[in-house]
Amino acid sequence: MTLSWITFLPSIGALAVLLAPRAFARNVALAFSLVAFVLSVTVVFAFDPGAGGYQFVAATPWLPQFGIQFKLGVDGISLWMMMLTTFIFPIVLFISNMSIRQNEKTFYALMLLMESATLGVFLSLDLFLFYVFWEFALVPMYFIIGLFGGERRSYASVKFFVYTMAGSVLMLIAILWLGLGGKTFDMELLQQQKWFAGDLFLFSAFALAFAIKVPMFPFHSWLPDAHVEAPTPGSIILAAVLLKMGAYGLIRFNLGFFPQASKVMAPVMIGISVVGILYGAVVAFAQSDMKKLIAYSSVSHMGYIVLGIFAFNALGIQGAILQMVNHGLSTGGLFLIVGFIYERLHTREMKNMGGLWSRMPVYGSLALLFVLSSVGLPALNGFVGEYVILQGAFLANPWAAAFAAFGMVLSAIYLLTMFQKVFLGVSAGDAHEAAHGHVSNAVAGPVQALADLSFREIASTIPLLALCALIGLYSWPFFRLMGSSVSSLLLASVK
């Protein structure tokens, strides 16, 4: 019952937001999202780390004549995805009024509906129910980009929707094939059947849908457009939560349902993930728009997660799960940092910045911490996840691990170069004055007199940075709670 409340409280909150006065819309949305977070924390403390199966299972018949039910449950894999979701959404709602000043009630209602949908994806134990939540999660993000995004928002929102829908069609066929062939859509019961374990078509149908969502190279082209055009809250949720739906699906369905096919396809998936790591890093370095650079960095960093998944060992998979959380924290933080400066300068072009640290020392310090987290500095979260993934990858394919390790070097290059261009040196206005003897209004603009971060802006970053430090210094509890579930997943694959 607790999981049902966690899943649907945000939806109830969406209705409450629409009924509330406009002035209270954000506070109502934040209250419902915070309650869902508190409930999810109680699940973590009540979770039994020694049990490899699903816990807190709630099942109600839905369409019994077709073997379809409303069934939710959580294990050590989905536990951290649930926590990431309920942790990120309140932070985004808390800071959303920084960039959302029109149609606020619609925006907050869409955000809460999206929270419910993503939670449903991570907690569903019925294939048909999973697909309903998976498809529904597209709708709020489509409207958030389309209604609240930038100049090319229509193009970006349609591209996002078409890409993800295209992959979902094949997945629906595979779901119907499994459910009708196995005479149930219950995921626990289906996993006990082995007739589809080596089916390459079913593996490919699921893998394509998830690869588009991750996104893996070469299905990534929708992501930079969506990130650039989405408002800051949309970009944060897209990077921190929605991309994790694809990686979660690869673990839960491709490894869990098709272990033999996964082993056959593992070299291909590892190869594609390594290409994505290097490609995303190289293309990120070439970007002048901060948002687009971080978007391509996501293509690169999500490649590590897929690499860990298809290493097909406990180290790789546990590292991938932790890195899904890490990426949500650090990349979500980077998009938050970009949003802060965009609201002041109304540009994301690095050539129009420079020297911001001297004008905004608090902002520069917080930005540096998020950059170092993404780079993988020891004592911060990114290092732990990527190191464990590389350990698992080395056991599976030493060459792949070597090339992926080089990707970490490239990551440091493009992220530290971005930091240098934006925060160090002289501002664009100062450089223009030195070259021409006066400051051009077009170049200087508001850069010459920027206000540092407000209390609310600082407060929104503190929870993210605190978790980055906690995971970097003391990651054992995170691995402990997922360990039995990962072991059960691997054990089932050899039966």
Side-chain angles (χ1 to χ4, degrees):
M1 193 65 180
T2 303
L3 296 184
S4 298
W5 277 110
I6 292 172
T7 303
F8 288 107
L9 256 179
S11 292
I12 299 171
L15 179 60
V17 164
L18 294 176
L19 297 175
R22 177 182 171 183
F24 296 101
R26 184 181 70 95
N27 291 337
V28 171
L30 182 58
F32 276 89
S33 191
L34 280 172
V35 173
F37 170 69
V38 171
L39 288 176
S40 66
V41 171
T42 66
V43 171
V44 172
F45 281 103
F47 188 82
D48 180 6
Y54 295 101
Q55 302 178 40
F56 306 98
V57 175
T60 303
W62 185 15
L63 298 170
Q65 64 271 36
F66 300 110
I68 297 172
Q69 58 185 327
F70 182 87
K71 185 176 182 181
L72 302 176
V74 66
D75 66 354
I77 299 170
S78 55
L79 179 72
W80 293 119
M81 297 301 97
M82 175 191 72
M83 280 305 307
L84 176 65
T85 303
T86 58
F87 178 77
I88 290 291
F89 268 92
I91 294 173
V92 173
L93 292 170
F94 175 71
I95 204 68
S96 287
N97 61 348
M98 172 184 73
S99 54
I100 305 299
R101 301 182 182 90
Q102 294 181 341
N103 299 320
E104 294 98 326
K105 292 173 68 171
T106 300
F107 173 80
Y108 292 119
L110 289 170
M111 289 290 286
L112 289 172
L113 289 174
M114 185 159 53
E115 182 175 6
S116 275
T118 51
L119 286 167
V121 167
F122 295 133
L123 298 177
S124 293
L125 293 184
D126 181 277
L127 270 177
F128 190 82
L129 180 65
F130 166 83
Y131 186 78
V132 170
F133 280 124
W134 175 274
E135 289 298 281
F136 185 70
L138 304 181
V139 178
M141 182 56 75
Y142 168 81
F143 283 110
I144 286 172
I145 298 174
L147 295 177
F148 301 94
E151 293 180 1
R152 299 173 69 245
R153 58 185 179 272
S154 296
Y155 168 78
S157 59
V158 170
K159 189 174 183 180
F160 162 75
F161 196 86
V162 169
Y163 260 75
T164 47
M165 273 294 294
S168 299
V169 171
L170 274 178
M171 184 170 70
L172 176 60
I173 295 172
I175 286 174
L176 293 175
W177 194 323
L178 281 172
L180 297 177
K183 296 182 173 55
T184 181
F185 287 87
D186 187 308
M187 289 165 53
E188 288 187 286
L189 296 179
L190 276 172
Q191 282 186 286
Q192 296 173 14
Q193 304 178 23
K194 299 296 181 182
W195 58 271
F196 46 76
D199 194 310
L200 289 176
F201 168 75
L202 293 176
F203 170 92
S204 301
F206 277 93
L208 178 62
F210 300 143
I212 292 172
K213 180 69 79 175
V214 168
M216 292 177 64
F217 175 89
F219 307 110
H220 64 281
S221 66
W222 65 268
L223 183 65
D225 291 319
H227 269 313
V228 169
E229 299 305 324
T232 297
S235 290
I236 297 170
I237 294 300
L238 184 59
V241 180
L242 261 63
L243 303 189
K244 309 310 177 295
M245 290 164 52
Y248 171 79
L250 290 173
I251 298 173
R252 177 68 71 211
F253 295 97
N254 288 92
L255 267 59
F257 280 68
F258 317 111
Q260 308 310 319
S262 294
K263 290 176 181 177
V264 171
M265 294 299 294
V268 176
M269 300 297 284
I270 287 174
I272 295 174
S273 67
V274 171
V275 170
I277 290 169
L278 299 177
Y279 168 85
V282 171
V283 178
F285 182 76
Q287 303 307 310
S288 60
D289 183 302
M290 292 176 70
K291 245 191 178 185
K292 190 168 284 190
L293 184 150
I294 298 168
Y296 278 107
S297 81
S298 285
V299 175
S300 181
H301 284 120
M302 292 300 292
Y304 286 100
I305 294 170
V306 179
L307 173 64
I309 292 169
F310 284 94
F312 225 107
N313 54 51
L315 280 172
I317 296 172
Q318 290 189 57
I321 295 169
L322 183 65
Q323 193 61 13
M324 287 157 70
V325 176
N326 293 339
H327 181 266
L329 300 174
S330 56
T331 305
L334 285 174
F335 278 116
L336 190 60
I337 289 294
V338 174
F340 291 158
I341 199 63
Y342 181 76
E343 292 304 314
R344 288 164 168 79
L345 298 180
H346 303 290
T347 181
R348 295 183 299 266
E349 289 292 327
M350 291 184 282
K351 65 182 180 183
N352 295 331
M353 302 180 196
L356 290 185
W357 203 346
S358 62
R359 291 172 168 79
M360 306 172 67
V362 175
Y363 176 58
S365 301
L366 296 176
L368 179 60
L369 290 173
F370 282 119
V371 166
L372 294 177
S373 171
S374 291
V375 166
L377 183 76
L380 291 174
N381 58 333
F383 173 78
V384 179
E386 290 182 351
Y387 177 76
V388 176
I389 286 172
L390 290 176
Q391 276 192 303
F394 185 83
L395 295 175
N397 189 320
W399 282 106
F403 280 109
F406 182 65
M408 295 177 67
V409 177
L410 296 178
S411 172
I413 292 173
Y414 67 74
L415 283 170
L416 291 176
T417 299
M418 178 193 75
F419 185 84
Q420 182 182 40
K421 289 180 178 179
V422 173
F423 293 96
L424 304 181
V426 297
S427 70
D430 291 340
H432 191 280
E433 182 179 17
H436 302 282
H438 66 282
V439 180
S440 166
N441 290 334
V443 176
V447 178
Q448 302 302 313
L450 285 172
D452 211 336
L453 298 187
S454 66
F455 174 79
R456 174 178 291 179
E457 290 170 328
I458 296 171
S460 68
T461 66
I462 296 304
L464 296 170
L465 289 172
L467 264 185
C468 288
L470 175 64
I471 296 173
L473 296 171
Y474 189 60
S475 56
W476 175 77
F478 296 85
F479 288 120
R480 176 174 174 264
L481 291 181
M482 70 175 79
S484 293
S485 296
V486 172
S487 298
S488 298
L489 177 73
L490 292 171
L491 182 62
S493 70
V494 299
K495 288 184 179 179

